[in-house]
Amino acid sequence: MLDREMKKGSAELLILTLVETRPRHGYEISKLIEARSEGVLRFNVASLYPLLYRLEKRGWIKGRWIEKAGQRRRRFYRLTVEGKKVLAAQRNTWHEFVEAINRITTVENA
Amino acid sequence: MPDWKKEISRRLAGLKLAPSRESEIVEELAQHLDDRYQELLADGTSDIDAERLTIAELSENELFRELQRVERKTPPEPIVIGTNRKINMVADIWKDLRFGIRMLLKRPGFTAIAIVTLALGIGASTAIFSAVNPILFESLPYPDASQIVTISDDFGTTDSSIGMTFGTYQELVQRSRSFTAIAVARPWQPAMTGSAEPERLEGQRVSASYFQVLGVSPVLGLNFNSADDRLNGPNLVIISEGLWQRRFNGESAIVGRQVTLNGNSFTVIGVMPRAFENVLSPKAEVWTLLQYDSSLPSFEGREWGRHLRMIGRLKPGVGTEQARSELNTIARTRLPEFPRPPHASLDSGMLLTSLQDQVTRGVKPALISVLGAVVLLLLIACVNVTNLLLARGANRSGEFAMRIALGAGRNRMIRQLLTESLLLAMMGGALGLLLAEFGVRALVTLSPIELPRMMGVGVNGTVFTFALGITTLIGLGVGLIPALHASRGDLNIKLQQSSRRTAGGHQWMRRTLVIAEVSLALVLLVGAGLLFRSLSRLFAIDPGFDTSQLLTMQVQASGTRFDDEKTHRFFAQSLETIRQLPGVSAAAFSSQLPLSGELDDGYGVHFESSTDKPEDNRGAFRYAVSPGYLETMAIALRRGRFLNADDTANTPPVVLISESLARSKFQDQDPIGQRLRLGSNDGPWSTIVGVVGDVKQTSLTVSQANAVYMTTDQWRLFADRALWLVVRTRGEPGELAPAIRQAIWSVDKDQPIVRVATMDQRLTSSAAERRFALILFEAFGFVAVVLVAVGLYGVLSSSVAERTRELGVRLALGAQKRDVLYLILRQGLALTLAGVSTGLLASWAVTRLLTNLLYGVSATDPLVFGGVASLLIVVALLACYLPARRAMKVDPLVILRYE
């Protein structure tokens, strides 16, 4: 399984990416992460929501209670303007990081 | 379905989150768990396993730990709608204030009514307090004012206005050890002539010790010296600061300046300070020495005339009782070196009253009752505003509920609401202070009485503090009940719009308050009614003469060129001229005028055929008159004849006596032909030639009616330099005044004429204190009725608004519109009757406090009680009419559809 530390570091990036295209609620986000990582990454309630709240506190995502017809109300999170900037920056950082790692490990392996 | 929320809440408990935040988190997480649970079930997991796995998502400690890290650093929300944290007291109060102002501005109508109501109550109270404060509470503006007393004979009645004699003054000065100083004073109205217009000044002739007794010295120049207070002493005056500015432009060389008074030259030796209040004669601007003959040459001279007021300053450490018993001892023990005439025998003992009491005595009962009335008004205003706040609170119940849901603590909300009510009170108080300023000025100028200590009346520091104090109390008071009411409360019920339980709760409170309002107003109105009837009774009293179309004024023969002969001639000639004027049906002079408010001139009467010992002397008022006086006044002749032109200095002296004097001395026998002496122990006897009707001299309510009349020619002791002129006119008496003045001035142009008034005006001012109280009671009563009407209207309106659905149902079920009208009217009537009954009970208990002011009316007069109750009921019904009509207009279809 992925290291806790690594998971933590990339968690923010994951969540920001997932709400980039459209607002999602917490359960949806956790299912998406599980699905797209094919089971590699899993967040439980205790780790997901504090993270969401932290991001919200920083103003990178914004949560809103939305009531759809015939359903209970749910809290949907969307990316803020600030969050978009952060996402772009973090993506760049991540890519550089990954590239750097790749270069080192590939060379090593080679 | 398992209870996810319970599990979640359990894990969150230690975080001590704000309730709103916690419930949010709980809701969100619960949904997630629910979704997970459903997913597991859908995958085929058993119930128990699914539940276990779902709960595992929460993990025992991780949630708590992570959330703690996140939630701990919560920054304060921009709008603090009520948390329990004590961040910053001042910031909180500031927020409360801003919020309060916003709330008040949102409903300008409500705010305006509340402020105006409070302003009326606070303004009236402050105005009355500023009038009452210097009279009832503050002491006189003299050093150690409690040591200053008035000294007089103890005739048993507190209404005695008979003066003291110079002879008594001398004896007491020499024999008493209780005083640092004693002084006497009498009015003096000199005519100032000179470069500017001749002016008649108000002043006093005083003994040299006068200012010493009061404890105030001239600010410029010197005080009087006792060495100068002797017969034929130098002509010296002290003037007031006001006179110095007005007449002499505040010139610096005022001390030593010569002024001409009554044709004589006087030297100004001093100027009194601006702040000096001469309570014995507030308008006095000039003082000079009495300069009576201290050798007391005879009992017939002015040295033994009873026309002086005596005051004394007790020695430090000497009490009033102690001094009084000393004076009584002196009175009882006659010494040969201090002979006393019978009319100044001091046999009745001496009376000492503090100067403060003496000055304020007349007006105290009126002021105290007015104070009571204004308190009632203030209470009514407060009750009204409390009701308004309660109604407003009901309207805001949704807002309050939300704030409680969002975490507002009860104390915090109470604080917020009290801030709002304090704000209202402060604004009402500010406006009220403004009203008070005007009110005080109006009081002072328009009041029919001269308020004693008028210089002390005004909106000053003490008054302002008082206003601030009651404003704060009111703010807290009216806000407390609504705040307590609003801040408790069932969350769920309030949040639902169509609730009806709260309606019952606060309506009960409002109804009680309205009943209280009605009772208070009733008490106030009953007071006004009783006073009104007293005045009517008072003015129904027969003064003993015809007061209609009678013009009166005082004419003085001033100046040294007037010896006795010339004085008589001046007055006789003036009378001649006046009688020629068109519009004059009769005219005469008299040394005293009934109901004039002046110090009464009384002397001892000695009857010749007397088994009386000198101690049995009766006092009687002396009327030295021109023949025709009694006819002019239309005083009835009971026996014998009137005085006429044949009664001159060369014919045997004759007198008329009043019937009460005749009755007390002669009972049923005929007094005609009997002889008496007035004011002296020797000299010729005067023969009684007639008995005339009694006349009210001092006031309408006082019955001291003993009087002796003689012609001015035959009054031997001295010549009256000032006489009252009475003129019976055919038309409007006031219109003839200029012509009469001209007539007198045509005889001698330098003679001042003062106190011009019609007899009816004098009559009115003799009941001045009562009228003063009545006017204020009426004003307050009017405002109270308006407030009560507004209060009733408000309560019924909101009742109708809340019962709209019920009324709609009634109408739909077949009730007539008229029935609904009566329903509401009945409700209003019920409230009113409840208020009226408690009000009647309260009045019955309270009005006995008014007895000092009542005359001829009992404090529980049924006519007044009944009349006022009916009036209030009628007003109440009118106030109820509008809401009742609105109830009638309820459209049942609209109501039912809405539901």
Side-chain angles (χ1 to χ4, degrees), chain B residues 128-129 132-140 356 371 453 466:
Chain B
I128 297 300
F129 177 77
V132 159
N133 185 38
I135 297 173
L136 294 183
F137 303 129
E138 286 179 0
S139 54
L140 295 176
Q356 169 131 24
L371 201 59
R453 302 287 326 280
F466 167 81

Side-chain angles (χ1 to χ4, degrees), chain B residues 301-315:
Chain B
R302 62 181 180 175
E303 287 75 18
W304 286 108
R306 303 196 69 125
H307 50 256
L308 300 173
R309 291 183 82 163
M310 194 183 295
I311 55 175
R313 178 177 275 274
L314 296 168
K315 280 191 179 142

Side-chain angles (χ1 to χ4, degrees), chain B residues 630-882:
Chain B
L630 291 141
E631 296 95 311
T632 310
M633 294 286 275
I635 298 176
L637 178 68
R638 303 281 185 227
R639 282 187 202 252
R641 67 165 177 89
F642 280 132
L643 302 169
N644 53 43
D646 293 331
D647 300 313
T648 64
N650 303 321
T651 57
V654 295
V655 291
L656 307 176
I657 62 174
S658 64
E659 52 181 343
S660 55
L661 183 58
R663 212 170 327 134
S664 78
K665 169 67 184 156
F666 298 104
Q667 284 91 47
D668 296 322
Q669 296 162 5
D670 188 1
I672 310 282
Q674 301 286 342
R675 307 211 292 178
L676 59 77
R677 279 201 198 112
L678 184 72
S680 63
N681 235 353
D682 43 29
W685 293 96
S686 304
T687 315
I688 301 174
V689 295
V691 178
V692 294
D694 285 340
V695 156
K696 302 272 186 208
Q697 167 64 30
T698 321
S699 79
L700 285 173
T701 51
V702 173
S703 327
Q704 278 171 359
N706 291 352
V708 175
Y709 300 83
M710 77 286 299
T711 59
T712 46
D713 285 346
Q714 292 193 338
W715 175 250
R716 296 273 160 61
L717 297 194
F718 51 84
D720 290 286
R721 293 264 189 261
L723 290 181
W724 284 94
L725 174 68
V726 293
V727 179
R728 177 82 56 191
T729 63
R730 294 208 183 86
E732 217 16 80
E735 289 171 358
L736 233 48
I740 293 179
R741 271 208 290 262
Q742 280 305 107
I744 298 175
W745 281 333
S746 70
V747 176
D748 189 320
K749 63 172 172 41
D750 279 335
Q751 299 319 308
I753 299 169
V754 289
R755 302 222 176 86
V756 181
T758 68
M759 202 61 207
D760 280 328
Q761 287 169 343
R762 291 195 190 283
L763 213 65
T764 318
S765 56
S766 74
E769 283 92 20
R770 288 189 178 88
R771 269 191 73 226
F772 174 69
L774 177 62
I775 289 176
L776 287 177
F777 263 82
E778 281 174 346
F780 294 158
F782 177 73
V783 174
V785 165
V786 168
L787 288 178
V788 162
V790 167
L792 268 173
Y793 171 84
V795 163
L796 280 178
S797 284
S798 75
S799 165
V800 164
E802 274 163 17
R803 292 171 74 174
T804 312
R805 188 167 174 276
E806 171 204 340
L807 297 172
V809 168
R810 279 181 193 253
L811 285 170
L813 288 180
Q816 297 296 328
K817 286 200 185 272
R818 220 181 36 233
D819 296 331
V820 168
L821 178 77
Y822 289 158
L823 183 72
I824 301 297
L825 277 181
R826 259 206 321 270
Q827 186 183 2
L829 193 64
L831 286 176
T832 312
L833 284 178
V836 163
S837 331
T838 39
L840 286 175
L841 277 172
S843 303
W844 190 80
V846 156
T847 48
R848 51 199 71 233
L849 296 174
L850 269 181
T851 37
N852 269 340
L853 288 176
L854 298 181
Y855 182 82
V857 171
S858 102
T860 52
D861 188 63
L863 195 63
V864 168
F865 275 53
V868 167
S870 319
L871 174 69
L872 259 185
I873 292 176
V874 165
V875 168
L877 282 176
L878 285 175
C880 299
Y881 182 64
L882 275 171

Side-chain angles (χ1 to χ4, degrees), chain B residues 5-290:
Chain B
K5 293 196 176 174
K6 206 170 81 181
E7 287 295 328
I8 301 169
S9 300
R10 188 168 62 76
R11 284 161 178 72
L12 296 182
L15 285 175
K16 294 202 192 326
L17 294 171
S20 53
R21 180 75 184 130
E22 184 172 324
S23 63
E24 259 195 345
I25 298 178
V26 164
E27 189 180 350
E28 195 175 358
L29 267 54
Q31 275 172 3
H32 187 121
L33 291 182
D34 208 41
D35 289 337
R36 179 86 179 110
Y37 181 68
Q38 299 296 348
E39 188 194 337
L40 286 169
L41 287 180
D43 280 347
T45 325
S46 71
D47 285 359
I48 305 170
D49 285 338
E51 190 176 339
R52 189 175 44 80
L53 288 168
T54 309
I55 297 284
E57 291 264 339
L58 283 180
S59 99
E60 211 38 60
N61 290 322
E62 191 183 345
L63 184 62
F64 178 84
R65 265 198 339 264
E66 294 295 325
L67 276 181
Q68 196 179 41
R69 233 179 283 161
V70 176
E71 298 294 321
R72 191 180 50 211
K73 292 180 298 203
T74 317
E77 293 165 33
I79 300 174
V80 178
I81 308 185
T83 65
N84 273 326
R85 275 169 305 192
K86 294 185 168 54
I87 310 172
N88 189 346
M89 253 325 215
V90 174
D92 264 356
I93 293 177
W94 182 236
K95 283 187 195 121
D96 280 345
L97 275 174
R98 277 182 11 230
F99 189 71
I101 294 180
R102 234 177 30 233
M103 278 294 116
L104 291 176
L105 285 177
K106 255 199 196 172
R107 294 291 216 103
F110 156 83
T111 309
I113 294 182
I115 291 181
V116 167
T117 308
L118 284 177
L120 282 173
I122 296 177
S125 324
T126 310
I128 297 300
F129 177 77
S130 67
V132 159
N133 185 38
I135 297 173
L136 294 183
F137 303 129
E138 286 179 0
S139 54
L140 295 176
Y142 306 129
D144 284 326
S146 52
Q147 294 293 95
I148 309 179
V149 293
T150 62
I151 306 168
S152 59
D153 282 281
D154 190 356
F155 284 135
T157 133
T158 51
D159 233 336
S160 160
S161 51
I162 295 194
M164 302 296 284
T165 66
F166 184 73
T168 309
Y169 161 68
Q170 289 223 271
E171 180 176 351
L172 291 181
V173 161
Q174 289 172 39
R175 289 182 67 182
S176 168
R177 298 275 162 272
S178 310
F179 298 89
T180 52
I182 307 180
V184 281
R186 62 174 291 187
W188 183 48
Q189 285 112 20
M192 175 174 329
T193 51
S195 49
E197 231 181 51
E199 190 186 344
R200 167 112 148 198
L201 299 175
E202 280 292 329
Q204 287 181 299
R205 289 197 96 102
V206 299
S207 59
S209 44
Y210 183 71
F211 292 120
Q212 187 187 353
V213 169
L214 293 180
V216 184
S217 300
V219 67
L220 285 181
L222 304 169
N223 203 344
F224 288 126
N225 194 328
S226 53
D228 295 325
D229 193 6
R230 55 188 162 79
L231 192 64
N232 300 323
N235 288 340
L236 307 170
V237 280
I238 295 180
I239 65 174
S240 73
E241 203 261 1
L243 183 65
W244 177 38
Q245 295 296 336
R246 194 180 83 240
R247 193 72 191 211
F248 303 102
N249 295 320
E251 66 187 38
S252 45
I254 184 69
V255 176
R257 195 191 196 286
Q258 301 291 315
V259 296
T260 313
L261 298 168
N262 283 349
N264 292 330
S265 181
F266 282 75
T267 312
V268 177
I269 64 163
V271 178
M272 294 306 286
R274 178 202 300 250
F276 174 58
E277 259 184 70
N278 189 22
V279 293
L280 282 180
S281 173
K283 294 207 176 119
E285 293 185 294
V286 61
W287 293 269
T288 191
L289 291 166
L290 268 180

Side-chain angles (χ1 to χ4, degrees), chain B residues 580-596:
Chain B
Q580 312 288 354
L581 291 175
V584 170
S585 54
F589 278 108
S590 165
S591 62
Q592 258 194 115
L593 187 68
L595 303 179
S596 58

